[in-house]
Amino acid sequence: MTVYSRIKKVADFRGMSLRRVALQSGLKSANAIYRYRDGIKPRRPTLEAIANTLNTTPEYLLGETDDWQKHDVTPEQELGLDKDDQEMLALFRKSTDGMTEEEKEKFKQSFVKLLKVAKDLNS
């Protein structure tokens, strides 16, 4: 599948015309996307703007993945932290200025473990 066909596929699924996608993506011409039908590839910033408009990823549009859905999962959500835990982690992160990346990662892992133990005690 080409970049053009992937853009068209997601636009059709979202009920959007290619002209609308182009305009909402901030392209100068409403017909700009039709150029990609001829094999022209968009620059990365343009591709990212189109992907954002379509709520997909540049990687999908480039054919690097077949997963067209955008997954907005933060590392904290991936760890299973709820909103309160995420807020506490954000507060602790503010106090990590001056730490190396390795120290920050160790701190984060320790903090996540502490939160899980505290939750277990309250259950």
Side-chain angles (χ1 to χ4, degrees), residues 36-116:
Y36 307 140
R37 184 175 38 193
D38 300 325
I40 296 170
K41 291 189 179 180
R43 294 187 333 256
R44 187 67 186 199
T46 303
L47 189 69
E48 289 173 357
I50 293 169
N52 285 335
T53 297
L54 292 172
N55 197 29
T56 190
T57 64
E59 292 77 20
Y60 172 76
L61 296 179
L62 289 171
E64 295 172 0
T65 180
D66 289 329
D67 183 4
W68 64 275
Q69 295 189 348
K70 193 176 197 178
H71 302 282
D72 294 328
V73 178
T74 65
E76 290 76 19
Q77 291 168 327
E78 206 170 281
L79 290 170
L81 301 180
D82 63 21
K83 185 178 177 186
D84 290 336
D85 293 344
Q86 290 178 41
E87 287 175 8
M88 291 200 51
L89 183 56
L91 289 172
F92 274 92
R93 280 187 176 158
K94 288 181 181 179
S95 64
T96 60
D97 286 343
M99 288 185 181
T100 66
E101 289 303 313
E102 184 177 322
E103 290 170 332
K104 287 179 185 179
E105 185 59 31
K106 286 181 182 178
F107 180 83
K108 177 182 168 185
Q109 290 172 1
S110 297
F111 183 70
V112 168
K113 287 178 186 175
L114 176 65
L115 288 174
K116 289 183 180 187

